[in-house]
């Protein structure tokens, strides 16, 4: 591919870009980096009418699509739903109409969004459609005390986020009593984001909400969940609220023709130098080619620094191609932008005054524009569900669109490049949560008891776990149990009250499973964020480079006594990687599956990690620029894990001596973690791993892959259930990579605490091949 082949006229907002896309893809297909072309044909709209007409302010004289009518009818009938139609299919209308109708009946509506930006976008459209006398308001951390009082007293529809629901509404429910007494509908948007620890916390927050509403009102609210396409959405939504939900997943919205191209910039050895490029430069090269083709283009990058680099490079390439006003045609779209700034970018795209917008993957949720013709993804976004979410950002309605995935060099990206059809036929992964995780459940039960004493009736909100959890909290002096006298209402029914000091709600961070988190403070003393106590030594040690929303900060002091990491701005040219010693103890086993000549196990483990030092590497070339020793206390992590065991007879039969076995196990561990997101909605940072030639509890060579959060976030059980397929994919990664001795596309890991040593890819392939081979089959 040349730098930029041509500069045809812009397609224009009213002109379908199909011809321009065809010409562009045909030119790209002659390049050796072109791996695969996939075409989704256009699909006409399927219309339907709800049983009762929509409010004119929302409908605007247009007919509903079939899924909108189905969702509106269900919510009007007080049936909780989960709506999982694709991006751009008009999901907002499905809950906006019932919300406005409820408000007109004098009832209240609560809408929960994962980010403030999404809440304010919905606030704008809802307020414009609301009839006179219906108050719509946002309740978030930006509200002044006066605004909060007004919202509590006057709003019919309140838009908020999980943190404010937890800390501002539920913990102050007596001040919200009038609102909760009338709460008829709860909307939870972008359900697929609520996975792992965050989702586990939010599930408990929603159960606490149900409990208070039913106490104030006598019956609970109806729930409306919306989500991008994920696996088993009904299972997730029911786990979130504890109620049955109806799944509506068949979209009636029209779609245009979509062409998706897979592009692999790395040569057959996965070598960065031989490829003559980096992922960022290659992304900019492809994006400039697409934008120069007249297509309004959105680029997704993995970090803010990457997005800035790509945006600058696209400007340079468009200028070199002679595109007039190239500098003003490219904009970055970063976290922290005000709603007005986002809308200005969206309008500029729709009016064809912008040709390319470069954003981080973290802003995948915040971009909702009609003027996009193409999406370029800098690296596979981690899951099939996220891949489809990003692809769907272009080509709204019946317009044709283009998506290009530019592969990175890690295991998952290169696996997709070797199996391109899997990106389109593979079912999206289910999002996993673990609301019964004691590290998550127990703090929320403390909050529930503080809000209103717990009784046996609350078993309906926390079935099968309430009694044991209350017993543990009583032993920890966080709850006290009272038995009412015969004269009191509910005589004979024990009640558990909060017994701790102060309110428990402020001590809980919804993004963490640890109690007593460490705070990360900027030079002015403000809190940048928090980090699990179990991950402090690994992420915010002295000298660590800490990334927050894509911005780099350097830790200048870790104060263990004050549980605070003090940071200062960093130039972002380097990153840090810890060196650590890790040991693991298998505490108990809840499942075992024999897979040919090995076994997979599921259970609880304790991981002990001592960070011994770190290396500082350059961002651009990944070269080591400094090595530093550290003296930190060990940390322990009680979590869930899946582990693979290999018997001595198998290993002896392969002839793997003591010198090669550690490298074989270590390489298989890395490959298994790298490919795991194909089977569970996670990334490699959600899990950790340990491998050893002999573990006392298993009495065998063992590879352990564990959840990286205390108590587990639900990844390990999915890895156990998918063990045969996961092992097969891991073996395929080891066998198919054409490198000579191991590379990032097969066995090297960016988070390895041992500096990716020892690694023996060949021996790892021999081990897994023999272990998964059927007994009696000839070699």
């Amino acid at each position: 591919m040349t730098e930029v082949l041509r500069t045809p006229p812009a397609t224009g907002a009213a002109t379908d870009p199909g011809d321009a896309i065809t010409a562009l893809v045909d030119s790209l297909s002659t390049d050796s980096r072109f791996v695969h072309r996939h075409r989704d044909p256009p699909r006409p709209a399927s219309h339907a009418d709800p049983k009762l007409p929509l409010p004119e302010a929302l409908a605007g004289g247009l007919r509903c699509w079939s899924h909108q009518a189905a969702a509106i009818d269900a919510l009007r009938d007080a049936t909780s739903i989960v709506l999982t139609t694709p991006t751009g299919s008009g999901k907002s209308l499905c809950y906006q109409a019932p919300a406005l109708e409820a408000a007109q009946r004098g009832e209240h509506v609560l809408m929960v969004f994962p980010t403030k930006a999404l809440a304010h976008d919905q606030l704008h459209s809802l307020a414009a459609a609301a009839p006179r006398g219906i108050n719509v308001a946002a309740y978030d951390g930006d509200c002044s005390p006066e605004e909060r009082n007004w919202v509590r007293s006057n709003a019919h529809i309140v838009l908020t986020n999980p943190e404010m629901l937890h800390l501002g509404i539920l913990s102050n429910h007596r001040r919200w009593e009038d609102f909760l007494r009338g709460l008829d509908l709860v909307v939870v948007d972008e359900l697929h984001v609520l996975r792992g620890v965050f989702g586990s916390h939010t599930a408990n927050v929603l159960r606490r909400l149900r409990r208070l509403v039913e106490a104030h009102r006598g019956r609970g609210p109806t729930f409306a969940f919306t989500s991008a396409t994920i696996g088993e959405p009904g299972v997730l939504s029911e786990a979130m609220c504890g109620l049955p939900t109806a799944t509506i997943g068949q979209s009636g919205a029209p779609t245009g023709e979509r062409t998706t191209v897979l592009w692999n910039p790395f040569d057959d050895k996965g070598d960065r130098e031989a490829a003559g490029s980096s992922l960022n430069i290659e992304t900019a090269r492809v994006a400039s080619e697409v934008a120069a083709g007249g297509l309004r283009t959105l680029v997704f990058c993995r970090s803010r620094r990457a997005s800035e680099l790509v945006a600058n490079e696209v400007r340079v390439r468009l200028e070199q191609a002679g595109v007039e006003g190239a500098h003003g045609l490219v904009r970055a779209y970063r976290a922290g932008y005000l709603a007005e700034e986002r809308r200005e970018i969206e309008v500029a795209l729709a009016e064809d005054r912008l040709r390319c917008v470069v954003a981080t993957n973290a802003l995948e949720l915040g971009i909702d524009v009609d003027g996009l013709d193409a999406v370029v993804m800098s690296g596979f976004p981690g899951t099939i569900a996220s891949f489809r979410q990003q692809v769907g950002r272009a080509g709204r309605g019946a317009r044709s669109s283009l998506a290009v995935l530019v592969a990175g060099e890690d295991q998952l990206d290169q696996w997709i490049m070797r199996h391109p059809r899997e990106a389109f036929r593979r079912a999206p992964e289910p999002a996993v949560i673990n609301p019964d995780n004691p590290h998550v459940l127990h703090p929320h039960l403390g909050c529930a008891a503080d809000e209103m004493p717990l009784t046996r009736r609350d078993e309906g909100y926390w079935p099968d776990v309430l009694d044991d959890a209350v017993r543990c909290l009583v032993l920890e002096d966080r709850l006290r149990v009272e038995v009412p006298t015969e004269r009191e209402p509910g005589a004979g029914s024990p009640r558990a009250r909060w017994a701790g000091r102060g309110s428990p709600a402020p001590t809980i961070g919804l993004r963490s499973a640890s109690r007593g988190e460490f705070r990360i403070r900027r030079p002015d003393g403000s809190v940048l964020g928090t980090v699990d106590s179990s991950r402090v030594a690994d992420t915010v040690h002295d000298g660590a480079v800490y990334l927050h929303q894509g911005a780099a900060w350097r830790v200048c002091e870790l104060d263990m006594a004050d549980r605070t990491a003090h940071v200062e701005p960093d130039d972002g040219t380097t990153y840090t990687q810890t060196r650590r010693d890790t040991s693991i103890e298998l505490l108990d086993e809840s499942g075992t599956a024999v897979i040919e000549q090995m076994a997979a196990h599921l259970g609880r483990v304790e991981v002990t990690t001592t960070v011994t030092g770190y290396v500082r590497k350059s961002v651009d070339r990944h070269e080591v620029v400094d090595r530093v020793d550290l003296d930190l206390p060990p940390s322990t992590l009680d979590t869930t894990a899946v582990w693979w065991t290999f018997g001595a007879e198998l290993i002896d039969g392969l002839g793997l001596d003591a010198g090669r076995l550690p490298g074989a196990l270590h390489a298989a561990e890395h490959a298994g973690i790298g490919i795991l997101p194909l089977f569970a909605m996670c990334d490699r940072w959600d899990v950790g791993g340990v491998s050893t030639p002999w573990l006392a509890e298993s009495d065998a060579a063992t590879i352990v892959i564990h959840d990286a959060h205390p108590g587990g976030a639900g990844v390990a059980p999915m890895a156990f259930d998918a063990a045969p397929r996961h092992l097969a994919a891991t073996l395929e990664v080891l066998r198919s990579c054409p490198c000579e001795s191991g590379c990032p596309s097969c066995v090297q890991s960016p988070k390895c605490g041992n500096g990716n040593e020892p690694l023996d890819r060949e021996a790892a392939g021999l081990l897994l091949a023999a272990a998964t081979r059927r007994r009696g089959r000839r070699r």
Side-chain angles (χ1 to χ4, degrees), residues 154-400:
N154 298 284
H156 301 91
I157 301 175
V158 174
L159 293 80
T160 191
N161 54 65
E163 283 84 357
M164 286 300 292
L165 173 57
H166 157 66
L167 192 58
I169 297 177
L170 299 185
S171 64
N172 293 297
H173 70 96
R174 290 175 182 84
R175 302 180 70 183
W176 285 85
E177 185 172 342
D178 289 341
F179 182 84
L180 295 174
R181 188 180 291 115
L183 185 57
D184 180 67
L185 174 64
V186 176
V187 176
V188 181
D189 196 31
E190 304 288 358
L191 173 66
H192 56 283
V193 177
L194 302 177
R195 62 179 178 88
V197 169
F198 184 33
S200 301
H201 276 293
T202 304
N204 281 286
V205 169
L206 294 179
R207 292 168 195 227
R208 287 164 48 203
L209 173 65
R210 273 183 56 211
R211 178 174 180 259
L212 290 176
V213 171
E214 290 177 13
H216 286 296
R217 193 181 188 212
R219 63 182 177 88
T222 302
F223 284 86
F225 296 94
T226 73
S227 175
T229 303
I230 55 173
E232 302 177 2
V235 173
L236 178 60
S237 59
E238 292 180 15
M240 292 298 300
C241 66
L243 294 171
T245 58
T247 300
I248 299 174
Q250 186 64 45
S251 175
T255 61
E257 179 176 282
R258 174 174 292 126
T259 302
T260 305
V261 170
L262 304 190
W263 187 268
N264 192 0
F266 298 100
D267 72 350
D268 62 357
K269 294 184 180 179
D271 181 63
R272 179 186 305 272
E273 295 300 324
S277 185
S278 70
L279 178 58
N280 290 334
I281 296 300
E282 192 69 19
T283 299
R285 181 181 294 160
V286 172
S288 61
E289 177 79 5
V290 174
L295 305 179
R296 287 157 298 177
T297 305
L298 170 65
V299 183
F300 282 115
C301 293
R302 290 177 170 176
S303 70
R304 189 167 75 171
R305 175 175 171 79
S307 67
E308 291 170 346
L309 188 155
V310 169
N312 288 333
E313 185 69 18
V314 171
R315 291 189 187 100
V316 169
R317 290 174 181 271
L318 290 179
E319 288 172 350
Q320 291 173 346
V323 176
E324 185 178 352
H327 187 81
L329 292 176
V330 183
R331 289 281 298 272
Y333 187 106
R334 299 196 317 251
Y337 275 23
L338 299 176
E340 293 78 10
E341 294 175 292
R342 294 198 314 276
R343 291 197 188 97
E344 188 273 323
I345 291 174
E346 292 161 4
V347 170
L349 264 174
E351 295 179 352
D352 207 24
R353 291 184 284 110
L354 276 181
R355 194 72 62 81
C356 183
V357 172
V358 186
T360 63
N361 288 346
L363 285 174
E364 176 183 302
L365 301 178
I367 297 171
D368 189 15
V369 295
D370 293 323
L372 291 171
D373 302 314
V375 167
V376 177
M377 292 161 280
S378 184
F380 185 69
T383 65
I384 297 295
S386 291
F387 171 68
R388 293 182 183 172
Q389 173 87 343
Q390 292 187 5
V391 165
R393 287 299 171 189
R396 298 302 182 90
R399 288 176 63 83
S400 299

Side-chain angles (χ1 to χ4, degrees), residues 523-584:
D524 63 2
S526 62
V527 176
L528 177 70
T530 60
V531 63
D532 288 9
S533 57
S534 61
R535 301 181 64 229
V536 163
D538 213 33
T539 57
V540 291
H541 55 79
D542 286 338
V545 174
Y546 177 80
L547 292 178
H548 179 77
Q549 294 184 339
W553 300 79
R554 182 176 298 201
V555 178
C556 50
E557 180 189 5
L558 174 59
D559 188 334
M560 300 294 290
D562 193 39
R563 305 181 74 81
T564 301
H566 298 277
V567 298
E568 58 188 13
D570 187 74
D571 61 14
T573 59
T574 62
Y575 65 95
T576 51
Q577 190 173 355
T578 55
R579 304 193 314 271
R580 54 190 179 271
D581 294 331
T582 303
S583 61
I584 197 157

Side-chain angles (χ1 to χ4, degrees), residues 388-610:
R388 293 182 183 172
Q389 173 87 343
Q390 292 187 5
V391 165
R393 287 299 171 189
R396 298 302 182 90
R399 288 176 63 83
S400 299
S401 64
L402 170 68
V404 182
L405 170 60
V406 182
E409 59 181 340
D410 61 20
Q411 293 100 323
L412 195 51
D413 287 49
Q414 291 303 309
W415 190 92
I416 292 291
M417 290 298 122
R418 290 192 294 270
H419 305 84
R421 289 180 175 81
E422 291 295 309
F424 308 98
R425 68 187 180 193
R426 195 178 188 89
E429 309 84 353
V432 292
I433 62 172
N434 182 15
D436 296 343
N437 176 349
H439 297 272
V440 173
L441 171 67
H442 291 185
H444 283 283
L445 287 178
C447 291
D450 187 46
E451 292 154 4
M452 187 171 63
L454 290 165
T455 70
R456 294 196 182 279
R457 291 191 298 271
D458 294 318
E459 179 76 16
Y461 305 107
W462 294 281
D464 303 322
V465 296
L466 182 64
D467 285 350
D468 286 344
V470 168
R471 190 176 301 111
C472 289
L473 290 167
V474 169
L475 292 175
E476 295 173 359
D477 294 326
R478 287 193 279 166
L479 292 184
R480 69 173 184 273
V481 175
E482 301 172 346
V483 178
T485 65
E486 293 183 0
R487 297 181 180 180
E488 291 182 274
S493 176
R495 299 181 300 209
R497 296 182 181 273
W498 174 246
R501 297 178 57 184
S503 172
T507 68
I508 302 173
L510 300 192
R511 315 277 173 157
S512 162
S514 294
R515 294 174 58 198
E517 300 169 321
F518 278 61
R519 295 182 181 272
I520 303 167
R521 293 192 182 275
R522 301 180 180 92
D524 63 2
S526 62
V527 176
L528 177 70
T530 60
V531 63
D532 288 9
S533 57
S534 61
R535 301 181 64 229
V536 163
D538 213 33
T539 57
V540 291
H541 55 79
D542 286 338
V545 174
Y546 177 80
L547 292 178
H548 179 77
Q549 294 184 339
W553 300 79
R554 182 176 298 201
V555 178
C556 50
E557 180 189 5
L558 174 59
D559 188 334
M560 300 294 290
D562 193 39
R563 305 181 74 81
T564 301
H566 298 277
V567 298
E568 58 188 13
D570 187 74
D571 61 14
T573 59
T574 62
Y575 65 95
T576 51
Q577 190 173 355
T578 55
R579 304 193 314 271
R580 54 190 179 271
D581 294 331
T582 303
S583 61
I584 197 157
E585 181 180 358
L586 310 180
L587 300 179
D588 62 56
E589 185 175 316
S590 57
T592 302
V594 176
I595 304 170
E596 305 307 337
Q597 301 183 62
M598 60 171 289
H601 312 260
L602 175 68
R604 184 167 146 252
V605 302
E606 183 177 83
V607 185
T608 301
T609 303
T610 303

